[in-house]
Amino acid sequence: MIILGIESSCDDTSAAVIRDCILLSNVIASQKVHEAYGGVVPELASRTHQQNIVPVVSEAIRQAGIDKSEIDAIAFTRGPGLPGSLHVGTAFSKGLALALNIPLVDVNHLHGHVLAHFIKEDENTEVPEFPFLCLLISGGNSQIIKVESPYDMEIMGQTIDDAAGEAFDKCAKVMGLPYPGGPHIDRLAQEGDPKRFKFSKPHIEGYNYSFSGLKTSFLYTLRDEIKLNPNFIEENRADLAASLQRTIIEILMDKFGKAIKDTGIKTVAIGGGVSANSGVRAAVQQYCDRRGIKAFLPKRTFTTDNAAMIAVAGYYKFLRGETCPITAPPFARVVI
């Protein structure tokens, strides 16, 4: 079974082709235009998707070594995401499905991140066994998800305000770092003292997360220190990055560790853009190694928004005969 996946939820235009979960191609066109604005500009994102989507899909089919007539179904991101960006991917997917007379499969973008671990680069690729716990961490989401099957997922906890990725990016912006700030924080953290500064941690019951208090604590620290030394950020940027990253990781692992302990599940995974962070990956791996738990860390290629994960999620839905009517609209917010 050959599935073409199309992803356009934010600022990356991507198309991928899989054959029974084995990856044949995965093409991603990133948008540099947003760097000058310190964040994604929705209107610019949707316009750039319009420019990129035809060449990206064509290249994915070419790299896969197939003819478009061999495609069995098209899986596309229906939501959540930026409305304009989603409209571009949805409209193109519908048009191509009509032209090829093949079914459409709508995919929840968050499901794609969870099921990215089932992208196979060859027959020997190891995938998680069910059930497993997934820590989904990105710019817009921080969730602990119990995954019983590709079709059965339960959110055990999620952020009640900012997500982990937002905390990274917003604090990085205040430090004068380019967008996206997360990778720059990660790089600087390797050079700094993670115990130099202490920032507030939330006290939220259950498995839910909160990062707004950490962000406020970080800003107050900068404000007070800059009053004494106008060059404070420049002189202490690495230590600030290391301390911020350590605090975010401790917040993430506190709730994730509690969920692992309470459920007794012995297989865990992480996903989303923040799962590319070297500190997060090391913390999860070390936690699991000490407790005899199997950890699945995605390849960094599959942590960011990509169509391979959409194709895999669509593959499992298509196996069950779940298709999407041609009239189905995209929507910005959906539940998992």
Side-chain angles (χ1 to χ4, degrees), residues 7-214:
E7 154 64 18
S8 69
S9 64
C10 190
D11 61 335
D12 287 332
T13 312
S14 182
V17 178
I18 63 169
R19 178 185 282 115
D20 296 334
C21 285
I22 296 179
L23 187 64
L24 303 183
S25 67
N26 188 34
V27 178
I28 303 173
S30 299
Q31 301 180 6
K32 300 293 185 182
V33 65
H34 307 286
E35 293 179 0
Y37 301 94
V40 177
V41 181
E43 180 62 24
L44 293 179
S46 58
R47 291 180 184 179
T48 308
H49 280 303
Q50 290 177 335
Q51 298 169 357
N52 290 341
I53 195 162
V54 171
V56 165
V57 171
S58 297
E59 181 62 14
I61 293 172
R62 187 195 69 79
Q63 289 186 17
I66 65 167
D67 186 83
K68 60 182 180 295
S69 62
E70 299 178 68
I71 300 171
D72 293 296
I74 297 174
F76 70 100
T77 301
R78 188 177 172 194
L82 300 176
S85 296
L86 291 168
H87 272 292
V88 174
T90 300
F92 181 87
S93 299
K94 289 178 178 180
L96 186 57
L98 284 171
L100 298 178
N101 194 29
I102 57 176
L104 273 175
V105 182
D106 59 325
V107 173
N108 182 325
H109 180 78
L110 304 183
H111 283 182
H113 277 303
V114 174
L115 297 177
H117 296 278
F118 293 85
I119 302 169
K120 296 183 179 181
E121 296 185 289
D122 55 51
E123 292 286 358
N124 299 318
T125 301
E126 186 179 13
V127 300
E129 293 184 359
F130 298 106
F132 66 91
L133 286 183
C134 182
L135 177 61
L136 176 57
I137 35 178
S138 65
N141 298 278
S142 294
Q143 298 179 329
I144 299 173
I145 303 167
K146 185 178 180 182
V147 187
E148 297 282 0
S149 76
Y151 323 103
D152 184 5
M153 303 183 193
E154 173 193 354
I155 297 177
M156 297 182 62
Q158 60 186 334
T159 183
I160 61 173
D161 42 56
D162 287 351
E166 287 178 286
F168 273 122
D169 287 341
K170 291 177 180 178
C171 291
K173 186 174 182 179
V174 175
M175 292 169 61
L177 297 174
Y179 174 85
H184 295 285
I185 294 287
D186 192 15
R187 173 180 54 80
L188 285 169
Q190 315 307 314
E191 308 167 7
D193 179 2
K195 297 182 180 180
R196 171 80 184 283
F197 301 102
K198 291 186 178 180
F199 305 117
S200 298
K201 297 179 184 177
H203 298 282
I204 308 296
E205 293 185 2
Y207 306 113
N208 286 337
Y209 287 113
S210 170
F211 289 96
S212 62
L214 166 63

Side-chain angles (χ1 to χ4, degrees), residues 261-319:
K261 181 179 178 181
D262 290 350
T263 60
I265 291 176
K266 294 297 184 181
T267 302
V268 303
I270 58 175
V274 181
S275 66
N277 180 281
S278 60
V280 171
R281 297 170 76 90
V284 172
Q285 190 66 66
Q286 291 169 9
Y287 179 94
C288 292
D289 287 346
R290 289 196 297 266
R291 293 164 176 80
I293 296 171
K294 181 68 174 178
F296 284 86
L297 311 180
K299 288 186 65 174
R300 284 181 168 83
T301 306
F302 303 137
T303 59
T304 55
D305 295 345
N306 66 90
M309 68 183 192
I310 302 303
V312 166
Y315 167 81
Y316 282 108
K317 290 190 70 174
F318 193 52
L319 281 181

